[in-house]
Amino acid sequence: MSESGAEQEFEAAVEGWVTSALDVADFGDLVRALPGVDPVVALATLDRLAQSDNASADAARRLGAIARSTVPTARSTVERPVPHPLEFYWRNDDASLAHFCELLSTYGLGSTIAYLGMPNVFQLARASLPGRHHVMIDRSIPRMNVLATGEQAIRLDVLRETPPPLGADAVVTDPPWYPEHLRSFLWAAARLLKCGAMLYASLPPDGTRPGVVHERAELLEWARHIGFELMDYEVSALRYVSSPFELASHRAAAIGGIPLDWRCGDLGVLRLVEKRDAPRPVVPEDEGRWLTFTIDEIPVWVRDRDPDDGPLTGQLLASLLDGDVLATVSRRDPRRARIDVWTSLNRVYTTTHPAAVQAVCRALAEREDPVMAVAAELERALSPEEENAVVETTARLERIVAEERSIHRLDDT
Ligand SMILES: C[S@@+](CC[C@H](N)C(=O)[O-])C[C@H]1O[C@@H](n2cnc3c(N)ncnc32)[C@H](O)[C@@H]1O
């Protein structure tokens, strides 16, 4: 199906879901009743319905007005380490974490259970299911450091590295919901499992984005091809808690009344019926390579690319949009390609010299002199104007970090 065909099909589907759920008290109830439709998309649909001349226009107008007049949802950030938008980190709610642990409780003493991008299930299962060998597998070094060490930890980028053949009895996984991530995580799970063992995978629900129903069907067909058999599929069985960067995007979009647990997920249960030597899925360079820094607990990611020509100037940390906060977490937003610097609360910037900004971030994280750090990185002395650009960029980053700490309420805990 063409991209515009998928867009039209999705728009019609969302309109149908929204129309049949209009009989609710407020915007939050509406969003929670939909199959994982982004609140920004739900509001745009209400606006379209409000302008139509059909019977639902009044109800749509009322719910849209509620969304625009309600204060955006806020909360203290409890996750440690503080998540970053490019980690695609969405914590499952307590009921979903308990649901996973209940499924895993059927694996007896001595069994091996792997948690592929599932840090919170790992944490709960390790505490509630003693006597099993729990193995956390994740790309995030800070998250690994907080949660797991020794033989319980395998640090791995699933998109680029190959997991060991663990002979696991079960794997639970929550891949970012994009085709190349989903395939890579399923491929990695097949390597981790022993033959006949089970995979519990969180999968994107119908309302996630245009074309997702077809993508998911193709994924499950491909899973069969690499040795899995689909045993069970539970629609909307999982719920998530909004991550701080998502709350920031809703604040920037000025949409209020969204419940923290609006996002749902489907649960696929698959058995590895045959070990096949399938080639690793090809991963596009899509979002590029990033270097990650943590400044006073705030993750700041800087793109790894060649610098533009010319000296360091006031464009060392330049705004991309009004207010700097991207009002969406959708990967389909074309502005993402221009982002070079990205913070925990979805603030985005561009830069002429990524390596220089990386040096400033490293210096701030390690409490060193940023001017010396940039000169060392560029292997040359800086002109007075360039020193000035580094000092101003440092001060701006410090202000951003302080503001994000305050919004996360890190100083209150
Ligand atoms: C979507 S969150 C899932 C959290 C899960 N719902 C929970 O509550 O435990 C994704 C996790 O996958 C990890 N992750 C994302 N991309 C990864 C990759 N390419 N390789 C390994 N881990 C990855 C992140 O660091 C994060 O811990």
Side-chain angles (χ1 to χ4, degrees):
M1 181 181 284
S2 70
E3 214 171 288
S4 70
E7 299 265 356
Q8 276 173 18
E9 186 183 79
F10 185 69
E11 206 169 274
V14 177
E15 226 164 271
W17 295 321
V18 169
T19 305
S20 56
L22 281 175
D23 188 20
V24 288
D26 60 35
F27 180 66
D29 294 337
L30 172 80
V31 173
R32 209 174 180 287
L34 303 175
V37 177
D38 190 299
V40 176
V41 175
L43 184 55
T45 308
L46 286 175
D47 288 345
R48 264 202 321 279
L49 289 172
Q51 279 163 17
S52 70
D53 51 9
N54 63 32
S56 50
D58 283 349
R61 206 167 298 123
R62 182 181 67 81
L63 291 174
I66 291 176
R68 292 209 164 83
S69 60
T70 310
V71 179
T73 309
R75 69 167 166 97
S76 304
T77 298
V78 292
E79 295 88 349
R80 297 290 182 278
V82 171
H84 186 276
L86 285 173
E87 288 181 301
F88 309 104
Y89 182 95
W90 271 270
R91 180 188 193 281
N92 284 108
D93 74 350
D94 289 346
S96 305
L97 295 177
H99 185 43
F100 278 116
C101 286
E102 199 184 306
L103 292 167
L104 296 176
S105 68
T106 56
Y107 296 89
L109 297 179
S111 49
T112 297
I113 305 171
Y115 303 81
L116 194 55
M118 269 292 195
N120 296 300
V121 181
F122 165 77
Q123 198 178 17
L124 184 63
R126 188 181 48 178
S128 60
L129 300 173
R132 285 81 164 175
H133 181 209
H134 300 284
V135 185
M136 172 177 172
I137 303 167
D138 206 283
R139 177 180 66 176
S140 161
I141 295 171
R143 190 157 296 116
M144 277 290 179
N145 289 344
V146 169
L147 289 177
T149 52
E151 58 172 30
Q152 288 192 324
I154 301 177
R155 205 217 63 82
L156 188 99
D157 182 344
V158 174
L159 295 186
R160 297 185 175 83
E161 295 164 288
T162 302
L166 202 62
D169 299 282
V171 169
V172 275
T173 189
D174 192 356
W177 289 341
Y178 297 103
E180 75 278 15
H181 290 260
L182 286 157
R183 285 189 183 212
S184 296
F185 275 62
L186 263 56
W187 181 84
R191 284 191 60 87
L192 290 164
L193 287 166
K194 67 183 182 198
C195 195
M198 303 293 281
L199 169 65
Y200 303 91
S202 165
L203 297 172
D206 288 4
T208 307
R209 63 174 169 270
V212 79
V213 175
H214 306 286
E215 281 173 25
R216 203 182 50 217
E218 280 176 15
L219 173 79
L220 291 173
E221 179 52 32
W222 179 81
R224 206 171 61 80
H225 174 72
I226 65 165
F228 283 109
E229 183 184 344
L230 184 65
M231 308 299 290
D232 195 14
Y233 193 87
E234 292 180 51
V235 173
S236 303
L238 306 171
R239 286 238 160 238
Y240 289 86
V241 182
S242 260
S243 278
F245 51 82
E246 182 172 71
L247 296 178
S249 75
H250 293 158
R251 272 195 299 279
I255 306 179
I258 303 167
L260 280 175
D261 66 348
W262 72 268
R263 187 184 288 276
C264 63
D266 293 354
L267 176 63
V269 181
L270 300 101
R271 182 191 295 280
L272 187 69
V273 288
E274 194 185 328
K275 274 251 178 218
R276 295 197 185 143
D277 204 10
R280 155 183 284 290
V282 177
V283 180
E285 265 300 313
D286 207 26
E287 302 251 64
R289 298 238 172 209
W290 295 79
L291 294 191
T292 66
F293 302 89
T294 307
I295 308 171
D296 275 343
E297 292 183 78
I298 300 299
V300 178
W301 289 31
V302 184
R303 196 185 285 280
D304 202 17
R305 66 162 177 85
D306 291 338
D308 300 349
D309 291 337
L312 311 182
T313 64
Q315 296 303 302
L316 198 47
L317 191 64
S319 289
L320 264 174
L321 28 108
D322 279 353
D324 295 331
V325 179
L326 193 58
T328 168
V329 295
S330 165
R331 203 175 70 162
R332 288 175 303 133
D333 192 303
R335 291 170 294 185
R336 284 169 85 103
R338 290 163 47 212
I339 301 171
D340 288 318
V341 182
W342 205 325
T343 73
S344 72
L345 288 177
N346 229 22
R347 280 189 176 74
V348 295
Y349 306 89
T350 178
T351 178
T352 49
H353 292 77
V357 177
Q358 289 159 13
V360 172
C361 289
R362 203 172 297 116
L364 281 173
E366 292 167 12
R367 303 194 189 285
E368 287 171 358
D369 177 22
V371 172
M372 282 172 65
V374 173
E377 177 67 40
L378 303 185
E379 297 179 350
R380 65 173 176 80
L382 305 186
S383 69
E385 294 76 23
E386 288 185 314
E387 281 194 14
N388 203 24
V390 171
V391 169
E392 278 175 12
T393 298
T394 305
R396 190 166 178 201
L397 274 169
E398 282 176 322
R399 281 196 301 276
I400 292 165
V401 166
E403 193 181 334
E404 297 214 348
R405 281 188 64 83
S406 156
I407 295 171
H408 286 297
R409 298 185 202 144
L410 289 183
D411 296 320
D412 302 354
T413 51

